[in-house]
Amino acid sequence: QTRWQDWYAVLEHELTEVRKHCEQVVVIGLSMGGALVTRLAQEHGPRIGGLVLINPAFTITDPRREILPLLQHVLPTVPGIVSDIKRTDGEPEIGYERVPLKALYSQTQLWKTVVADLPEVNQPVLLFRSRIDHVVPAESSALFLSRVGSTEVTEMVLTDSYHVATLDNDAPKIERETLRFIERVTVWSAS
């Protein structure tokens, strides 16, 4: 029953709460969360000090996307995609068994909005992209990189993880590089 505007409203609320306690905020998003936090950066400009994206979803290459506006009225759900993780000894991703097509269609509308406004993103960006991702195509990150307005963009290719890289072999690298990025783009002051 929810749409991208509902998901985004939760993020805006949380940003307001965090800003009550923190002068500087760096937002981080994985997959669809990448598109949502990019929207935060677009709409809240200087209130966002940096953007970390992990296998962000801005598009899909599935040809069925073209008929999704009609298909969502005929087919309520499709099987979910979870645990696209290379690592075999870790925790599995918890996700939905089924994906509502109305919600998926709504996500494509989010992508249109975010991609159209990518030149407005001027915060420093750290982008992680898995070399092999069975969920989000490499074209998604390429689209972001070709349109983003920021002059400070670092792309890191993850060679030992699939889509859910935060639960995969490259998770320590993501953590380490994200902390370095945050330290670099924020100003720490002793009070």
Tab-separated table of all heavy atoms in Angstrom, residues 16-38:
chain	number	residue	atom	x	y	z
A	16	THR	N	15.399	15.010	9.984
A	16	THR	CA	15.035	16.087	10.911
A	16	THR	C	15.428	15.725	12.333
A	16	THR	O	15.976	16.554	13.069
A	16	THR	CB	13.524	16.374	10.827
A	16	THR	OG1	13.213	16.781	9.491
A	16	THR	CG2	13.105	17.457	11.806
A	17	GLU	N	15.186	14.490	12.736
A	17	GLU	CA	15.539	14.042	14.088
A	17	GLU	C	17.053	14.041	14.296
A	17	GLU	O	17.556	14.503	15.324
A	17	GLU	CB	14.964	12.646	14.356
A	17	GLU	CG	13.449	12.611	14.465
A	17	GLU	CD	12.933	13.519	15.567
A	17	GLU	OE1	13.387	13.391	16.727
A	17	GLU	OE2	12.076	14.379	15.261
A	18	VAL	N	17.792	13.524	13.325
A	18	VAL	CA	19.257	13.475	13.438
A	18	VAL	C	19.832	14.885	13.500
A	18	VAL	O	20.746	15.166	14.277
A	18	VAL	CB	19.871	12.666	12.268
A	18	VAL	CG1	21.384	12.851	12.197
A	18	VAL	CG2	19.528	11.190	12.412
A	19	ARG	N	19.287	15.783	12.694
A	19	ARG	CA	19.797	17.163	12.663
A	19	ARG	C	19.577	17.891	13.987
A	19	ARG	O	20.255	18.872	14.263
A	19	ARG	CB	19.135	17.950	11.525
A	19	ARG	CG	19.473	17.446	10.149
A	19	ARG	CD	20.607	18.090	9.477
A	19	ARG	NE	20.545	19.528	9.564
A	19	ARG	CZ	21.597	20.290	9.451
A	19	ARG	NH1	22.779	19.755	9.248
A	19	ARG	NH2	21.512	21.593	9.533
A	20	LYS	N	18.690	17.403	14.842
A	20	LYS	CA	18.505	17.995	16.174
A	20	LYS	C	19.728	17.755	17.053
A	20	LYS	O	19.968	18.486	18.005
A	20	LYS	CB	17.274	17.406	16.860
A	20	LYS	CG	15.966	17.845	16.248
A	20	LYS	CD	14.799	17.165	16.957
A	20	LYS	CE	13.479	17.541	16.304
A	20	LYS	NZ	12.344	16.829	16.931
A	21	HIS	N	20.505	16.720	16.721
A	21	HIS	CA	21.646	16.325	17.543
A	21	HIS	C	22.986	16.441	16.821
A	21	HIS	O	24.038	16.361	17.460
A	21	HIS	CB	21.474	14.878	18.020
A	21	HIS	CG	20.164	14.633	18.696
A	21	HIS	ND1	19.881	15.056	19.976
A	21	HIS	CD2	19.034	14.040	18.246
A	21	HIS	CE1	18.642	14.714	20.292
A	21	HIS	NE2	18.117	14.093	19.258
A	22	CYS	N	22.956	16.575	15.506
A	22	CYS	CA	24.190	16.579	14.715
A	22	CYS	C	24.187	17.752	13.740
A	22	CYS	O	23.203	17.969	13.041
A	22	CYS	CB	24.307	15.285	13.906
A	22	CYS	SG	24.299	13.794	14.909
A	23	GLU	N	25.289	18.459	13.709
A	23	GLU	CA	25.419	19.562	12.759
A	23	GLU	C	25.671	19.050	11.348
A	23	GLU	O	25.247	19.674	10.372
A	23	GLU	CB	26.565	20.478	13.169
A	23	GLU	CG	26.303	21.280	14.418
A	23	GLU	CD	27.485	22.173	14.761
A	23	GLU	OE1	28.214	22.581	13.838
A	23	GLU	OE2	27.653	22.440	15.954
A	24	GLN	N	26.384	17.942	11.248
A	24	GLN	CA	26.763	17.413	9.947
A	24	GLN	C	26.188	16.013	9.765
A	24	GLN	O	26.241	15.202	10.684
A	24	GLN	CB	28.279	17.362	9.830
A	24	GLN	CG	28.911	18.740	9.990
A	24	GLN	CD	30.405	18.635	9.998
A	24	GLN	OE1	31.009	18.453	8.951
A	24	GLN	NE2	30.995	18.724	11.187
A	25	VAL	N	25.655	15.760	8.582
A	25	VAL	CA	25.043	14.469	8.300
A	25	VAL	C	25.564	13.952	6.964
A	25	VAL	O	25.568	14.679	5.965
A	25	VAL	CB	23.498	14.582	8.243
A	25	VAL	CG1	22.875	13.244	7.862
A	25	VAL	CG2	22.938	15.080	9.569
A	26	VAL	N	26.007	12.717	6.963
A	26	VAL	CA	26.363	12.005	5.744
A	26	VAL	C	25.345	10.880	5.620
A	26	VAL	O	25.111	10.136	6.575
A	26	VAL	CB	27.807	11.440	5.814
A	26	VAL	CG1	28.098	10.559	4.608
A	26	VAL	CG2	28.813	12.575	5.917
A	27	VAL	N	24.719	10.765	4.456
A	27	VAL	CA	23.694	9.738	4.272
A	27	VAL	C	24.260	8.584	3.457
A	27	VAL	O	25.116	8.774	2.590
A	27	VAL	CB	22.418	10.311	3.619
A	27	VAL	CG1	21.716	11.272	4.578
A	27	VAL	CG2	22.703	10.991	2.303
A	28	ILE	N	23.777	7.381	3.768
A	28	ILE	CA	24.277	6.154	3.144
A	28	ILE	C	23.088	5.331	2.700
A	28	ILE	O	22.126	5.160	3.458
A	28	ILE	CB	25.126	5.338	4.149
A	28	ILE	CG1	26.280	6.190	4.687
A	28	ILE	CG2	25.634	4.054	3.505
A	28	ILE	CD1	27.021	5.571	5.856
A	29	GLY	N	23.144	4.817	1.473
A	29	GLY	CA	22.052	4.003	0.981
A	29	GLY	C	22.520	2.853	0.127
A	29	GLY	O	23.449	2.990	-0.683
A	30	LEU	N	21.869	1.709	0.309
A	30	LEU	CA	22.129	0.495	-0.467
A	30	LEU	C	20.934	0.234	-1.378
A	30	LEU	O	19.785	0.278	-0.917
A	30	LEU	CB	22.339	-0.697	0.479
A	30	LEU	CG	22.292	-2.104	-0.125
A	30	LEU	CD1	23.485	-2.352	-1.030
A	30	LEU	CD2	22.237	-3.162	0.967
A	31	SER	N	21.182	-0.017	-2.653
A	31	SER	CA	20.161	-0.395	-3.616
A	31	SER	C	19.098	0.699	-3.736
A	31	SER	O	19.416	1.847	-4.059
A	31	SER	CB	19.570	-1.755	-3.231
A	31	SER	OG	18.835	-2.304	-4.302
A	32	MET	N	17.830	0.380	-3.462
A	32	MET	CA	16.780	1.396	-3.516
A	32	MET	C	17.077	2.512	-2.527
A	32	MET	O	16.771	3.680	-2.789
A	32	MET	CB	15.413	0.787	-3.208
A	32	MET	CG	14.298	1.814	-3.232
A	32	MET	SD	12.691	1.138	-2.809
A	32	MET	CE	12.883	0.808	-1.071
A	33	GLY	N	17.691	2.177	-1.408
A	33	GLY	CA	18.078	3.190	-0.433
A	33	GLY	C	19.033	4.206	-1.023
A	33	GLY	O	19.047	5.374	-0.618
A	34	GLY	N	19.821	3.797	-2.012
A	34	GLY	CA	20.715	4.731	-2.690
A	34	GLY	C	19.951	5.814	-3.425
A	34	GLY	O	20.317	6.993	-3.383
A	35	ALA	N	18.883	5.433	-4.096
A	35	ALA	CA	18.052	6.423	-4.787
A	35	ALA	C	17.362	7.333	-3.783
A	35	ALA	O	17.266	8.549	-3.991
A	35	ALA	CB	17.029	5.727	-5.680
A	36	LEU	N	16.893	6.762	-2.680
A	36	LEU	CA	16.195	7.569	-1.672
A	36	LEU	C	17.123	8.588	-1.007
A	36	LEU	O	16.755	9.752	-0.837
A	36	LEU	CB	15.551	6.660	-0.623
A	36	LEU	CG	14.331	5.876	-1.113
A	36	LEU	CD1	13.975	4.763	-0.126
A	36	LEU	CD2	13.137	6.800	-1.332
A	37	VAL	N	18.337	8.172	-0.647
A	37	VAL	CA	19.243	9.141	-0.009
A	37	VAL	C	19.770	10.151	-1.019
A	37	VAL	O	20.077	11.291	-0.656
A	37	VAL	CB	20.395	8.472	0.784
A	37	VAL	CG1	19.850	7.629	1.918
A	37	VAL	CG2	21.332	7.690	-0.108
A	38	THR	N	19.836	9.760	-2.285
A	38	THR	CA	20.205	10.738	-3.312
A	38	THR	C	19.125	11.812	-3.397
A	38	THR	O	19.430	12.996	-3.539
A	38	THR	CB	20.410	10.050	-4.678
A	38	THR	OG1	21.465	9.083	-4.547
A	38	THR	CG2	20.773	11.054	-5.761
